[in-house]
């Protein structure tokens, strides 16, 4: 099955790669380290997923009952052989119509029972998968932002959409086989014991050996299934990177290097898959060998008994037929361990995502609309302990309604500061306050209602213009029209055949860069938040588009606390204050003319741009 790649627009970097090609070797385990936890048993692993299937208990009961009915018909087939051989071929009075009617009836009941069992179990599985998917997607919407730095978009998509579905499909088929063939095995063994308990003891020798074999192979398959999933994710991530960065790859002639990366990961995946095939494939020949040994012993003892006790031909054939019928369920049960292991491992992947990604936790403070006064007190932020801080003791106050521009060289900490405000990152020390209340005390949704963002990297959903403007809010046509007018888009939208209902395409592919940018401004106008963040909102536009967007931004900024990140210093000359940052600190603050007169970092940056 093909997996769609992520639609997120980003340039892949090493920091985003969850599985680098050459990971560092693990540190040696100290002598005092604890032993690794024991691998959970099959029952423990099933117990982990059962909460998502509780609503399907009735369907499981129906599937069990139908499987039981189907299993009970199995011994009746060899039982028909006794009268057929003892009476039908020896001149007995067995009616000719009885055998075909009985056979047709048995197979009709058996087929109906099999259909009901399969449908009921599939219904239960898909209902459980739906519950799990809903829980996973809800967690994606509320998870701590660190989740999206630990996992690539393709990995999250693969887990939520494909892994749990494929896992459920494998589990349905495997559990149906396990249920049907286990009951069939019990029914046939009961019948064999009733026919000849001494011969049946030879058959019983088969099962402990098969059980030990299944347990040993099952542990190995569980480990290999996890390795296979990791190798698949690594391969998918290489493909995702090259799809998103195809221009860079071709411009830099990196096709050969990327092909080598792909081959390396593809080879790893192939080796793991072959190990899985080898481990699961060894079950069938060994099971067949055990079955052949048991069958040989049964035939020898049966021939001896026939001479000693005078057993009938019909009884002997019925026993041999029932025993041969045991071979198929035993073989199926020996083969069922691999798909059960793979299915459980796939679903556990989703459960692990829930475990490692707790939902965001906020406070209780909530207001409909904040005044917009921001304060940062001695804030220190590190993304990793072994790296220099992105923000290093930063202190800054921003008054309500003030327009503040953040400038500085790359890596100065501008984006980190912006990400602190809606709590997309949390500082290691220091405080960030909105209207005098620490952000940790704000209810998360209430806090983010106070911010609107317009960035260079505009994200659009494959929906209508109206839906992209009113994103996350109740739809109000009058407000949408007003927002489009404020963003200088009203005439453009009015000229479209479908008007507000016109689709924007995949991530706004039906719009030009300037139109996408102004649609993002319309979205911010519609939200009407008291604090506005402009992150390089015009840097990727041509001069004509920039003038149109700049005019829309002036409308948007009125009466709002505004923070502007801009590398083009000409666009922020009229800001109330310009904050110059370097190495995670504020190094200069003032108006444009004041900073030029000081001759510091801002003046040097301005002179460099002016010369270029």
């Amino acid at each position: 099955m093909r997996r769609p790649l992520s639609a997120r627009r980003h340039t892949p970097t090493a920091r985003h790669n969850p599985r680098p090609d050459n990971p560092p070797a693990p540190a040696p385990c100290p002598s005092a380290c604890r032993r690794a936890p024991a691998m959970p048993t099959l029952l423990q692993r099933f117990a982990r997923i059962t909460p998502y299937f509780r609503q399907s208990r009735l369907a499981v009961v129906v599937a069990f009952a139908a499987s039981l009915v189907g299993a009970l018909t199995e011994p009746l087939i060899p039982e028909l052989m006794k009268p057929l051989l003892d009476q039908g071929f020896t001149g007995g009075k067995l009616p000719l119509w009885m055998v075909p009617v009985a056979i047709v009836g048995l197979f009709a009941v058996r087929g109906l029972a099999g259909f009901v069992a399969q449908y009921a179990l599939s219904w239960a599985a898909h209902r459980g998968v739906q519950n799990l998917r809903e829980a996973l997607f809800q967690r994606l919407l509320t998870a701590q932002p660190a989740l999206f730095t630990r996992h690539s978009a393709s990995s999250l998509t693969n887990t939520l959409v494909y892994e749990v579905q494929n896992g459920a499909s494998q589990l349905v088929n495997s559990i149906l086989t396990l249920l049907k063939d286990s009951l069939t095995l019990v029914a046939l063994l009961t019948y064999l014991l009733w026919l000849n308990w001494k011969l049946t003891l030879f058959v019983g020798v088969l099962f402990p050996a098969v059980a030990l074999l299944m347990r040993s192979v099952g542990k190995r398959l569980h480990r290999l299934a996890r390795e296979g999933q990791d190798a698949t994710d690594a391969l998918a991530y290489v493909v995702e990177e090259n799809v998103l960065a195809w221009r860079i790859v071709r411009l830099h002639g990196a096709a050969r290097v990327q092909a080598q990366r792909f081959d390396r990961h593809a080879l790893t995946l192939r080796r793991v898959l072959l190990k899985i095939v080898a481990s699961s494939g060894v079950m069938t020949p060994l099971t067949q060998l055990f079955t052949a040994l048991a069958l040989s012993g049964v035939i020898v003892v049966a021939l001896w008994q026939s001479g000693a006790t005078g057993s009938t031909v019909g009884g002997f054939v019925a026993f041999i037929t029932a025993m041969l019928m045991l071979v198929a369920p035993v073989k199926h049960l020996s083969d069922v361990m691999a798909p059960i292991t793979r299915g459980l491992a796939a679903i556990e992947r989703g459960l692990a995502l829930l475990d490692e990604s707790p939902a965001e936790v906020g406070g209780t403070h909530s207001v409909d609309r904040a005044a917009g006064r921001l304060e940062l007190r001695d804030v220190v932020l590190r993304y990793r302990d072994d790296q220099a801080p992105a923000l290093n003791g930063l202190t800054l106050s921003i008054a309500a309604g003030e327009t503040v521009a953040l400038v500085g060289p790359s890596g100065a900490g501008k984006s980190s500061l912006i990400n602190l405000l809606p709590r997309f990152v949390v500082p290691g020390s220091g405080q960030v306050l909105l209207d005098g209340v620490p952000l940790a005390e704000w209810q998360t949704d209430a806090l983010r209602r106070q911010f609107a963002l317009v960035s260079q990297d505009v994200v659009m959903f494959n929906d209508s213009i109206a839906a992209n403007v009113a994103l996350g809010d109740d739809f109000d046509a009058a407000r949408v029209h007003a927002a489009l007018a404020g963003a200088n888009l009203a005439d453009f939208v009015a000229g479209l055949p479908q008007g507000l209902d016109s689709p924007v395409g995949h991530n706004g592919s039906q719009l030009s860069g300037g139109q996408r940018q102004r649609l993002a401004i319309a979205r911010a106008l519609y939200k009407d938040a008291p604090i506005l963040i402009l992150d390089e909102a015009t840097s990727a536009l041509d001069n004509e588009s920039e003038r149109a967007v700049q005019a829309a931004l002036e409308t948007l900024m009125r009466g709002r606390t505004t923070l502007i990140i801009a590398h083009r210093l000409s666009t922020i000359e009229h800001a109330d204050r310009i904050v110059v940052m370097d190495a995670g600190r504020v190094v200069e603050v003032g108006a444009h003319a004041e900073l030029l007169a000081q001759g510091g970092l801002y003046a040097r940056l301005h002179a460099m741009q002016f010369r270029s």
Side-chain angles (χ1 to χ4, degrees):
M1 184 182 295
R2 295 182 62 190
R3 272 107 166 135
L5 294 167
S6 163
R8 294 180 63 187
R9 292 164 55 88
H10 69 276
T11 301
T13 61
R15 187 171 65 88
H16 292 92
N17 190 344
R19 293 177 179 84
D21 293 325
N22 297 303
C29 179
S31 57
C33 69
R34 299 179 180 178
R35 297 177 61 184
M39 182 180 295
T41 65
L42 196 62
L43 289 177
Q44 290 172 331
R45 295 171 66 195
F46 269 112
R48 180 75 173 87
I49 69 173
T50 50
Y52 299 94
F53 296 84
R54 281 179 184 152
Q55 295 174 332
S56 309
R57 284 175 290 190
L58 180 60
V60 174
V61 171
V62 170
F64 178 84
S67 298
L68 181 60
V69 170
L72 292 176
T73 63
E74 297 286 341
L76 297 179
I77 297 174
E79 181 64 15
L80 285 173
M81 303 296 293
K82 291 174 63 178
L84 182 64
L85 292 173
D86 292 340
Q87 300 180 37
F89 290 100
T90 58
K93 298 181 180 180
L94 183 69
L96 291 176
W97 59 268
M98 183 177 293
V99 173
V101 168
I103 290 175
V104 172
L106 279 176
F107 277 89
V109 172
R110 184 179 174 187
L112 179 62
F115 169 78
V116 171
Q118 184 169 11
Y119 185 85
L121 199 59
S122 297
W123 189 93
H126 291 303
R127 179 64 181 271
V129 167
Q130 180 184 349
N131 293 338
L132 178 57
R133 271 204 184 118
E134 289 173 354
L136 281 170
F137 191 70
Q138 186 62 34
R139 182 56 55 86
L140 285 184
L141 297 176
T142 60
Q144 295 178 3
L147 168 70
F148 303 100
T149 60
R150 290 196 305 267
H151 298 276
S152 67
S154 62
S155 173
L156 294 173
T157 302
N158 182 54
T159 298
L160 195 149
V161 178
Y162 298 104
E163 292 283 2
V164 294
Q165 182 63 53
N166 292 340
S169 298
Q170 292 190 71
L171 277 182
V172 166
N173 296 328
S174 304
I175 292 176
L176 188 62
T177 298
L178 186 65
L179 190 62
K180 182 179 69 175
D181 289 319
S182 296
L183 292 172
T184 298
L185 206 60
V186 172
L188 288 173
L189 282 174
T190 303
Y191 175 71
L192 288 172
L193 286 170
W194 177 71
L195 278 180
N196 192 324
W197 66 269
K198 293 180 181 178
L199 285 179
T200 307
L201 293 179
F202 284 93
V203 182
V205 176
L206 172 70
F207 299 106
V210 173
L212 289 173
L213 180 65
M214 290 175 66
R215 179 173 180 176
S216 174
V217 173
K219 289 182 178 180
R220 178 172 171 79
L221 284 173
H222 175 57
R223 178 176 57 80
L224 290 174
R226 289 294 183 94
E227 291 180 10
Q229 288 172 339
D230 291 342
T232 301
D233 275 354
L235 185 65
Y237 191 76
V238 172
V239 175
E240 181 189 16
E241 282 186 322
N242 280 271
V243 169
L244 293 173
W246 66 271
R247 294 181 180 87
I248 300 299
V249 170
R250 298 186 186 188
L251 281 173
H252 289 265
R256 182 179 59 82
V257 175
Q258 294 303 315
Q260 290 173 349
R261 283 185 66 206
F262 181 87
D263 291 345
R264 203 158 53 241
H265 288 290
L267 179 61
T268 300
L269 178 59
R270 181 173 70 89
R271 287 172 175 168
V272 174
L273 293 178
L274 285 176
K275 289 179 181 178
I276 292 175
V277 170
S279 297
S280 57
V282 76
M283 293 286 290
T284 299
L286 288 177
T287 303
Q288 290 174 342
L289 177 61
F290 294 151
T291 305
L293 291 172
L295 180 60
S296 301
V298 164
I299 292 175
V300 170
V301 175
L303 291 174
W304 173 79
Q305 280 189 340
S306 65
T309 63
S311 301
T312 65
V313 174
F316 176 73
V317 171
F319 189 92
I320 292 296
T321 302
M323 182 178 171
L324 291 176
M325 289 176 67
L326 281 175
V327 175
V330 169
K331 180 181 181 300
H332 294 160
L333 290 174
S334 68
D335 292 339
V336 83
M337 183 56 66
I340 283 182
T341 301
R342 289 195 297 268
L344 279 174
I347 293 180
E348 287 169 343
R349 190 78 177 275
L351 298 176
L353 193 62
L354 289 174
D355 292 339
E356 72 177 48
S357 309
E360 290 183 294
V361 178
T364 58
H365 181 75
S366 176
V367 296
D368 290 336
R369 188 177 183 85
R373 187 175 74 257
L374 294 166
E375 187 175 359
L376 293 90
R377 299 176 180 170
D378 199 22
V379 171
V380 176
L381 172 66
R382 293 178 185 270
Y383 291 105
R384 285 176 45 180
D385 293 338
D386 57 349
Q387 291 180 342
L391 297 175
N392 191 7
L394 187 142
T395 298
L396 179 65
S397 294
I398 301 172
E402 186 179 17
T403 297
V404 174
L406 304 174
V407 301
S410 297
K414 304 182 295 295
S415 295
S416 295
L417 190 156
I418 293 299
N419 285 328
L420 280 175
L421 302 181
R423 293 202 80 200
F424 291 152
V425 293
V426 179
S429 63
Q431 274 191 319
V432 184
L433 301 93
L434 172 57
D435 290 351
V437 180
L439 297 189
E441 298 179 14
W442 279 77
Q443 198 269 337
T444 305
D445 290 339
L447 172 67
R448 290 172 183 162
R449 279 201 306 268
Q450 316 306 323
F451 294 90
L453 170 68
V454 180
S455 68
Q456 172 188 352
D457 189 13
V458 177
V459 175
M460 293 288 160
F461 292 86
N462 195 4
D463 207 331
S464 66
I465 288 177
N468 274 280
V469 172
L471 184 66
D473 251 328
D474 294 331
F475 179 76
D476 184 329
R479 282 177 62 196
V480 171
H481 282 294
L484 291 170
N488 295 327
L489 270 179
D491 293 339
F492 165 72
V493 174
L496 295 173
Q498 296 176 259
L500 289 178
D501 294 326
S502 300
V504 302
H506 173 67
N507 203 22
S509 59
Q510 303 297 319
L511 307 175
S512 69
Q515 290 163 350
R516 293 172 69 249
Q517 208 74 38
R518 280 180 281 164
L519 194 58
I521 293 171
R523 180 188 292 170
L525 281 167
Y526 189 92
K527 186 176 183 182
D528 191 26
I531 303 172
L532 174 64
I533 298 172
L534 303 178
D535 187 358
E536 298 287 352
T538 63
S539 63
L541 303 177
D542 56 64
N543 290 335
E544 183 178 354
S545 297
E546 183 180 3
R547 282 193 294 271
V549 171
Q550 199 67 44
L553 286 175
E554 290 175 5
T555 302
L556 178 60
M557 291 164 60
R558 292 174 191 154
R560 292 180 170 83
T561 303
T562 304
L563 287 88
I564 306 172
I565 294 179
H567 286 297
R568 291 189 199 172
L569 302 185
S570 59
T571 62
I572 48 93
E573 291 180 358
H574 300 292
D576 297 328
R577 280 192 302 161
I578 298 172
V579 175
V580 185
M581 299 180 63
D582 190 22
R585 294 178 178 274
V586 174
V587 293
E588 296 175 356
V589 179
H592 171 69
E594 295 173 2
L595 294 175
L596 287 181
Q598 290 178 14
L601 177 58
Y602 180 81
R604 292 197 299 274
L605 294 173
H606 189 273
M608 291 170 60
Q609 288 195 10
F610 181 77
R611 284 196 298 270
S612 63

